[in-house]
Amino acid sequence: MALKNKLVMVIDDDPDIRTLIRKILENLGVTVIEAEGVEQAFVLAASHAPHLVIVDLQMPGKNGFDFLEQRRHTATFVKVPVLVASSLRAKESIYRAIALGASDYLLKPFNASMLIQKVRKLLKDIDFKTYVFPKNELPRSSFSVGAEVTKVLDTGLMIESPIKVAEASPVQLRSEKLKEHGLSTYFFQTQNEPSVRGVTGRYFSRVNVIGLNESIIKKLRKPKAPTPAAGAQESRHSNDSQSPKKPGEQS
Amino acid sequence: MKNKLVLVVDDDPDFNNLIKHVLGKFGLIVEAFTDGASFLKRLDSSAPALCIIDLNLGTVKEGFELIQSIRTRKPSGPGGLPLFIASSTVDHETIAHALEIGADDYILKPIRREVIASKLLNYVKSAELEDVSLNSITLSEGEFPVTMELELEDLEVDEFGIKVKSRHLITKGTPISLTGAFFVEVTGSERPKLVTVTTTWVEVDLSGYGAYLEFELADEKLLQAVRNWLITKLK
């Protein structure tokens, strides 16, 4: 069961107890944040959403019982299991904590294995739920990945990448070399044929440059000219920084 | 395309006959086998334009081994041998895995004639294009790096990652930079986030591919922001 990357908040006024719990749980891969009291716990709740809270019942000022009552009104804590830790052995205290919503009780002084056992049990099925986007409102994202042009073809480029790109698909390409040839503002589209998998496991896709003309293809196929002085290089690049052209639009 | 050879191996003779019948109409010569050993023997002595194998010929593991056996004999890639898998019962993650270890594409059974014609022939035609592309200039490795940008749709979010749908298959293990409305809402920033593709599958409706993109676990700030967002959304 994955404890790694679970977040546990420890609320205890005793720094030694907090440190002890932190060391035990961090060995399991759990991330621990500490609060020295109930007030601080609610401040931390604004920026931290723990999977589990361990709270001492006996603290000066607001105690663990106050936390259990108050947490019912806080979105961050309301559904999070709470393990109360206390030296109070009286059954009434234990019953009261459970009645207020504590999931389990750990008697102090506790040993590491007991703490680990209880934490594992409480974290067992604790994952934040999955949010499913409504089907008619799926947000769009775009992703970028490193690729390489392996060939310059008659009407476009052969691109090698870790993506099996769909046929006739618009593709955005960014590269210093495209800028040099005035192609950074052009639209690209894969040909109406599938990407083919190469021996290395990467895919080869033929990409057409929309609106390409012969003069630009000639430029692409020419060997690269010697690099000019830095100033001249910068001014050529800055001319190229426009919004992408529509298909058919020439530079 | 006429007289090009297609090899197919499937223990279902009806499937083999269907492939023969449909592709035969386009002038292709189809040789069918019902076991992997005879198929491989014929592959060693021929130069087919396309191969189709049943992923369920034995077990799925044997299907994967057959793909790998084919690839040690005939490479994939431009000018290589296009390899299709045909399947009826395997799950969509298995199909995606088959694509990642050497298959080029898939057809699902029961197969429709128009799928055979359009999908399969596309690969044969593609190989012909490679033959006639004489005016290409091959570049050396690292000469022309590019960043490729494509689109996808967000389906689900959990605290460790995001499930997406795309027309494109992203190879498992690929790190990608992701931007979109979801991240802007969660983090307030348009800065791309690095994610890694951990699982891929073919969408049930065959409209494309699915992928699970895992957030960078070291990015505690992002993970926390996502958790806070989930709490708000799932109240």
Side-chain angles (χ1 to χ4, degrees):
Chain A
M1 184 247 315
L3 288 182
K4 216 170 179 310
N5 299 307
K6 292 290 197 285
L7 182 65
V8 173
M9 182 184 284
V10 178
I11 311 171
D12 199 311
D13 61 313
D14 185 340
D16 293 335
I17 295 290
R18 294 199 307 268
T19 303
L20 176 62
I21 294 176
R22 168 189 284 281
K23 284 186 174 169
I24 293 168
L25 296 187
E26 280 181 349
N27 267 341
L28 303 175
V30 172
T31 303
V32 176
I33 53 167
E34 297 178 31
E36 51 187 32
V38 173
E39 304 280 5
Q40 193 186 14
F42 282 97
V43 168
L44 288 171
S47 53
H48 294 81
H51 296 84
L52 170 70
V53 172
I54 301 174
V55 64
D56 182 17
L57 279 183
Q58 295 167 284
M59 288 185 288
K62 287 192 175 177
N63 58 30
F65 294 112
D66 296 313
F67 172 79
L68 286 167
E69 290 198 33
Q70 207 175 320
R71 72 155 188 146
R72 287 188 280 197
H73 309 292
T74 309
T76 303
F77 288 133
V78 66
K79 289 183 182 173
V80 175
V82 178
L83 173 63
V84 295
S86 180
S87 53
L88 293 174
R89 278 174 156 70
K91 282 185 183 167
E92 292 75 21
S93 301
I94 299 172
Y95 293 155
R96 187 182 164 205
I98 302 293
L100 284 172
S103 303
D104 206 338
Y105 198 97
L106 183 70
L107 279 175
K108 289 181 182 179
F110 56 83
N111 63 44
S113 59
M114 183 59 71
L115 171 67
I116 292 168
Q117 191 185 5
K118 289 188 182 269
V119 165
R120 277 191 195 279
K121 189 189 92 174
L122 290 171
L123 287 179
K124 191 174 156 218
D125 294 309
I126 296 302
D127 282 309
F128 280 71
K129 297 270 189 289
T130 299
Y131 179 76
V132 181
F133 291 103
K135 281 208 163 95
N136 56 345
E137 288 174 18
L138 294 178
R140 298 198 76 84
S141 292
S142 62
F143 72 93
S144 58
V145 68
E148 192 166 336
V149 176
T150 58
K151 283 186 184 177
V152 178
L153 307 171
D154 296 340
T155 56
L157 309 168
M158 178 77 88
I159 309 245
E160 184 187 347
S161 76
I163 315 288
K164 183 178 164 72
V165 185
E167 307 92 273
S169 185
V171 175
Q172 194 123 23
L173 295 176
R174 300 191 198 288
S175 144
E176 282 307 310
K177 197 126 179 168
L178 289 173
K179 264 191 192 171
E180 284 168 24
H181 294 289
L183 283 179
S184 60
T185 54
Y186 276 77
F187 278 86
F188 297 84
Q189 182 164 299
T190 50
Q191 287 191 4
N192 198 17
E193 63 183 44
S195 292
V196 177
R197 190 178 175 279
V199 288
T200 57
R202 287 165 67 92
Y203 291 92
F204 291 86
S205 315
R206 284 181 215 265
V207 169
N208 284 345
V209 184
I210 309 296
L212 194 66
N213 61 39
E214 207 179 318
S215 65
I216 293 173
I217 279 288
K218 274 186 184 160
K219 264 199 248 177
L220 266 180
R221 292 158 76 89
K222 255 192 203 166
K224 189 181 168 184
T227 311
Q233 185 97 358
E234 279 177 10
S235 97
R236 187 175 67 215
H237 284 171
S238 72
N239 285 343
D240 222 7
S241 53
Q242 306 162 31
S243 54
K245 290 185 166 40
K246 298 280 188 302
E249 204 176 322
Q250 300 295 327
S251 53
Chain B
M1 199 155 61
K2 227 173 164 205
N3 297 324
K4 293 242 178 207
L5 177 65
V6 174
L7 299 183
V8 56
V9 58
D10 195 311
D11 54 4
D12 179 359
D14 290 336
F15 177 80
N16 291 341
N17 288 335
L18 176 63
I19 298 288
K20 272 185 180 174
H21 178 71
V22 174
L23 294 186
K25 284 189 170 178
F26 292 92
L28 293 165
I29 299 167
V30 180
E31 290 182 17
F33 302 86
T34 52
D35 69 279
S38 1
F39 167 86
L40 287 172
K41 199 173 169 191
R42 180 59 178 133
L43 183 65
D44 285 337
S45 63
S46 61
L50 176 76
C51 282
I52 306 164
I53 68 166
D54 175 16
L55 196 58
N56 301 107
L57 201 56
T59 60
V60 168
K61 184 168 176 270
E62 284 167 302
F64 290 150
E65 284 166 2
L66 182 56
I67 294 172
Q68 284 160 339
S69 296
I70 294 168
R71 282 307 177 212
T72 56
R73 290 162 164 79
K74 308 278 185 188
S76 53
L81 171 66
L83 172 61
F84 263 75
I85 51 164
S87 176
S88 58
T89 58
V90 293
D91 65 75
H92 292 81
E93 272 188 45
T94 304
I95 294 175
H97 184 66
L99 296 177
E100 288 177 17
I101 63 165
D104 288 296
D105 214 323
Y106 65 93
I107 41 179
L108 287 184
K109 299 179 184 179
I111 189 163
R112 299 198 314 273
R113 285 167 187 258
E114 54 270 26
V115 168
I116 301 175
S118 64
K119 231 175 173 185
L120 296 178
L121 291 179
N122 222 6
Y123 274 86
V124 178
K125 284 180 206 163
S126 217
E128 282 187 332
L129 270 177
E130 189 63 33
D131 293 338
V132 303
S133 179
L134 300 170
N135 291 323
S136 61
I137 293 181
T138 302
L139 305 174
S140 45
E141 201 176 321
E143 189 181 335
F144 198 155
V146 291
T147 300
M148 185 188 271
E149 203 174 292
L150 295 158
E151 291 214 330
L152 37 78
E153 286 178 321
D154 304 339
L155 297 176
E156 294 177 11
V157 179
D158 63 43
E159 62 178 308
F160 295 116
I162 183 166
K163 196 171 168 186
V164 298
K165 182 176 150 177
S166 171
R167 290 185 62 216
H168 322 290
L169 174 65
I170 315 171
T171 310
K172 272 201 293 283
T174 305
I176 61 177
S177 291
L178 194 62
T179 53
F182 164 70
F183 283 110
V184 174
E185 190 182 330
V186 166
T187 66
S189 161
E190 287 188 3
R191 216 169 127 225
K193 297 295 171 196
L194 191 66
V195 295
T196 305
V197 180
T198 54
T199 319
T200 54
W201 58 88
V202 174
E203 281 287 293
V204 173
D205 60 5
L206 308 181
S207 59
Y209 300 93
Y212 184 77
L213 313 178
E214 199 173 282
F215 303 133
E216 213 182 4
L217 293 178
D219 193 346
E220 251 305 315
K221 237 176 144 183
L222 172 65
L223 293 181
Q224 193 54 58
V226 171
R227 279 187 214 125
N228 289 342
W229 183 87
L230 282 168
I231 287 172
T232 328
K233 282 290 191 185
L234 296 168
K235 254 193 289 203

